[in-house]
Each structure stands twice: as structure tokens, then as C-alpha cells.
Amino acid sequence: MPIRAFLFDLDGVIVDTAIYHYQAWKRLANELGFDISEEFNEKLKGVSRTDSLDLILAHGNLSLPDEEKTSLASQKNQWYLDLVSRMTPEDVLPGVASFFAQVRKTTRSEGPLLTGLGSVSKNAPLILERIGLADLFDVIIDGNKISKGKPDPEVFTKGAAELGVNPDECVVFEDAVAGVEAGKRGGMFVVGLGSPDVLTQADLVAPSLEQLTVDQVFDQFELK
Ligand code: B16
Ligand code: MG
């Protein structure tokens, strides 16, 4: 089975917006009278806005009516947008440019290696615009196009379908536990970017795209 497409998560893989999500959620929790730690924040990575709010409220032992939850989610998003609107192309993570240069040079008999973005963030288009990467991907699947967040595989299976490739011809690049699970449940080869102790379900783990080459991914995929 050849590799036909690479599908990339956004937050934590292309750009580090996780810190801004954390700051905005922490501010919300503090206003509600409790705190969240960095360790707790790991559980929110790759998880949708509404599911994240539910996890945070459960953490603070709070149960609120739906209208109030909608207004809290919108308040958090406003704080988050204030932070991400200041981002620039300098915020793109180290290694992204060089990894994509390798991807562009990769040609095989099956044709060019296709690329897709698989992010559950509804703010993905704005972030890509801010960091100057709106035209980087052949297809973009974001939170506005899906109904189920990670660990459901929808964001990646939809990306494969829009690219016209099979799931087992795709490689997913993910930094979050929920995202690695989404890729595996979608039937894809998953490269975890982070710690092997955390991303235990991944087929291959590297600290970040900076420490990884396209050849290493191909070699490991073939060994599978
Ligand atoms: P928004 P990813 C995810 O993006 C984030 O990791 C997660 O922390 C966030 O709650 C989610 O997007 C929804 O984001 O509130 O902007 O719609 O990792 O899938 O790129
Ligand atoms: Mg992520």
C-alpha cells in the first residue's frame, strides 16, 4: 500500500495555539472560582470547544444550563481570538517549512504526495491566514465542516475522502492523545509529535516535525 497523503493537525503541529487555548480556559475557570493545571490542559488538546467546556465544568464540579454554557464558550472564544489575532508567520513551529519542502519534492509513480489539514478548531481558517499558510494544504477540514471532534475519526476520514484517497494510504501527524486515537480509529498510520510516554498509540513518535524527515516516515510505514 503506497502513501498517498499526509494529514496534519493544526494546534501543536503547525503552530502552538495550545498555550492560548489554555490561557483563555484558565481565565474562564478562574472567573468561575476554580483553577485548571497544565496537566489537566493535556486532556483538552484536540477536543472540541463544547466538549472542552464540559470537561472543565466537571473538573470544577459545576453543572450549568445550556444557555449559560453557550455564553461561557463564546466568552472563552473571544479571549482566545484576542490572543490569536496577534499571531504572525513567525509563530509557525520550527521544522514546518523544511518538512513541507521535503513533501513538495516527494514524487512517486502514484503522483504527488497530497496534503490536508485536519483540525477540529472553528478558528483554523483565521489562524492559517494570520500565519500566512492559508494556501499550504490541498484540502482543509476544520471544525466548521465536521460534527464530531477527536477522538472521533471524522476530521481525518473526511480529509481522505476529499483528497480521493483511502484511509490506509494516509499518514496523520498529531500532538494530542485524542488526535492520535482519531487517526488510528480512522485506519491510518499515525505519527505522534511529542513524548512516546504520552502518545502511546502512535505508530512512530518524534519530538516535533523539526526532528523528523519524510524518508523516516516512509521507511517506518513500509515496515508496518
Ligand atoms: P476552537 P486541533 C483543537 O484544534 C484544539 O487542540 C483544542 O484545544 C480546541 O478546543 C479545539 O481545536 C476547538 O477549537 O475553539 O478554536 O473551535 O488540535 O484539532 O487543531
Ligand atoms: Mg493538536
Side-chain angles (χ1 to χ4, degrees):
M1 190 61 64
I3 297 179
R4 307 269 316 270
F6 278 2
L7 303 176
F8 296 86
D9 168 47
L10 177 64
D11 293 341
V13 171
I14 304 294
V15 73
D16 191 8
T17 41
I19 180 73
Y20 301 129
H21 280 296
Y22 176 49
Q23 286 171 5
W25 283 128
K26 194 176 178 70
R27 183 169 170 187
L28 191 81
N30 290 169
E31 295 218 345
L32 292 168
F34 60 96
D35 199 15
I36 56 170
S37 66
E38 266 185 71
E39 191 190 350
F40 175 82
N41 188 56
E42 282 302 311
K43 295 193 185 117
L44 307 179
K45 289 187 178 173
V47 174
S48 75
R49 198 181 308 166
T50 47
D51 289 348
S52 297
L53 179 61
D54 284 341
L55 288 171
I56 289 166
L57 293 178
H59 187 68
N61 289 317
L62 282 180
S63 171
L64 299 174
D66 282 352
E67 314 85 74
E68 203 168 331
K69 289 207 286 188
T70 306
S71 122
L72 289 174
S74 140
Q75 172 67 82
K76 178 268 173 178
N77 194 50
Q78 197 47 59
W79 288 330
Y80 176 70
L81 286 175
D82 289 345
L83 295 165
V84 295
S85 61
R86 288 179 230 150
M87 294 178 89
T88 71
E90 292 194 0
D91 289 297
V92 175
L93 285 169
V96 171
S98 122
F99 196 80
F100 270 81
Q102 295 170 52
V103 169
R104 297 287 169 241
K105 275 195 220 142
T106 307
T107 46
R108 289 116 347 97
S109 52
E110 302 83 33
L113 185 56
L114 300 169
T115 59
L117 182 84
S119 167
V120 305
S121 174
K122 292 188 169 152
N123 297 305
L126 167 83
I127 293 164
L128 289 174
E129 203 64 54
R130 294 295 313 152
I131 61 176
L133 297 183
D135 299 323
L136 188 66
F137 302 97
D138 296 308
V139 72
I140 292 177
I141 308 296
D142 61 40
N144 305 293
K145 291 191 179 171
I146 53 160
S147 57
K148 289 171 249 139
K150 300 164 188 172
D152 189 280
E154 183 184 9
V155 69
F156 294 127
T157 51
K158 213 167 197 162
E162 284 207 15
L163 288 169
V165 300
N166 296 322
D168 58 2
E169 298 170 322
C170 295
V171 177
V172 165
F173 296 81
E174 258 293 347
D175 70 312
V177 174
V180 169
E181 184 181 335
K184 289 315 297 172
R185 278 169 60 183
M188 299 171 182
F189 183 89
V190 179
V191 178
L193 300 170
S195 159
D197 297 336
V198 177
L199 306 174
T200 51
Q201 272 198 70
D203 297 293
L204 168 67
V205 180
S208 78
L209 286 180
E210 201 177 15
Q211 288 88 10
L212 187 72
T213 65
V214 169
D215 284 347
Q216 282 172 325
V217 177
F218 273 77
D219 290 348
Q220 201 60 37
F221 185 91
E222 272 153 28
L223 286 176
K224 192 174 53 110

